[in-house]
Amino acid sequence: MKDFAYLRPTDTAGAIAAIAERPNAKFLGGGTNLVDLIREEVEAPDTVVDVTGLGLDAIVETASGGLRIGAGARNSHVAAHPIVRERYPVVSQALLSGASGQLRNMATIGGNLLQRTRCLYFYDGESPTPSSTSECRRRTCRTQSKRKLSNSSKPVGFG
């Protein structure tokens, strides 16, 4: 893994400035996708800008009756929120079904929207592009059977 600088700005203006000044910087929220990509050498940022302490995790009811969910809101908190469970049960169920409890506790709504695909095919920059989703699944299964961690049966690329 390549060394990188770690910044933890105290406000959103500082976070935006840090990214603007560093063309190869990445935001870090929950890190459930970025850390995997760095470990797999798919991403190699020079700087990681941690935005977890910026208060971007609010879940607020709007005047029109909707919800404004902050990008930093943890998936587990959104899934358990009373209004989400009452008015948007499919969203709650999808978040609860989408990952293990450990990942839901770290993963953020903003990260889910911005993450790279978790398909192992896309982690492999050497293979040609598949012609369909089913082709991607076939390649992923073949890749999983060939690429194992040396001390585990867990496929490389899954956190």
Side-chain angles (χ1 to χ4, degrees):
M1 179 167 24
K2 175 184 155 188
D3 289 343
F4 55 83
Y6 174 82
L7 301 177
R8 190 171 180 126
T10 57
D11 57 29
T12 54
I16 293 167
I19 289 286
E21 295 166 3
R22 296 162 182 86
N24 195 28
K26 298 287 182 186
F27 285 125
L28 174 69
T32 59
N33 188 241
L34 180 60
V35 172
D36 281 347
L37 294 171
I38 292 171
R39 186 184 68 225
E40 293 297 319
E41 298 178 353
V42 173
E43 291 283 354
D46 296 324
T47 305
V48 172
V49 181
D50 186 339
V51 295
T52 58
L54 299 182
L56 303 173
D57 58 349
I59 303 171
V60 180
E61 189 170 10
T62 65
S64 62
L67 282 180
R68 180 174 296 121
I69 301 172
R74 304 287 179 183
N75 289 356
S76 56
H77 294 153
V78 176
H81 193 279
I83 295 175
V84 174
R85 292 179 67 181
E86 179 185 322
R87 295 189 203 160
Y88 309 100
V90 173
V91 171
S92 179
Q93 292 167 9
L95 290 168
L96 293 171
S97 299
S100 68
Q102 293 89 344
L103 285 175
R104 284 193 309 268
N105 288 336
M106 291 298 299
T108 63
I109 293 297
N112 273 19
L113 295 173
L114 296 175
Q115 76 174 335
R116 285 184 64 150
T117 182
R118 308 254 337 143
C119 174
L120 285 175
Y121 165 78
F122 287 99
Y123 279 46
D124 178 8
E126 298 176 17
S127 299
T129 304
S131 57
S132 69
T133 303
S134 61
E135 175 70 13
C136 181
R137 286 191 191 114
R138 284 195 299 274
R139 287 177 185 235
T140 300
C141 291
R142 284 195 306 264
T143 303
Q144 284 178 351
S145 66
K146 292 177 185 175
R147 294 175 66 191
K148 303 282 184 181
L149 291 173
S150 59
N151 62 353
S152 170
S153 62
K154 191 161 53 167
V156 173
F158 286 87

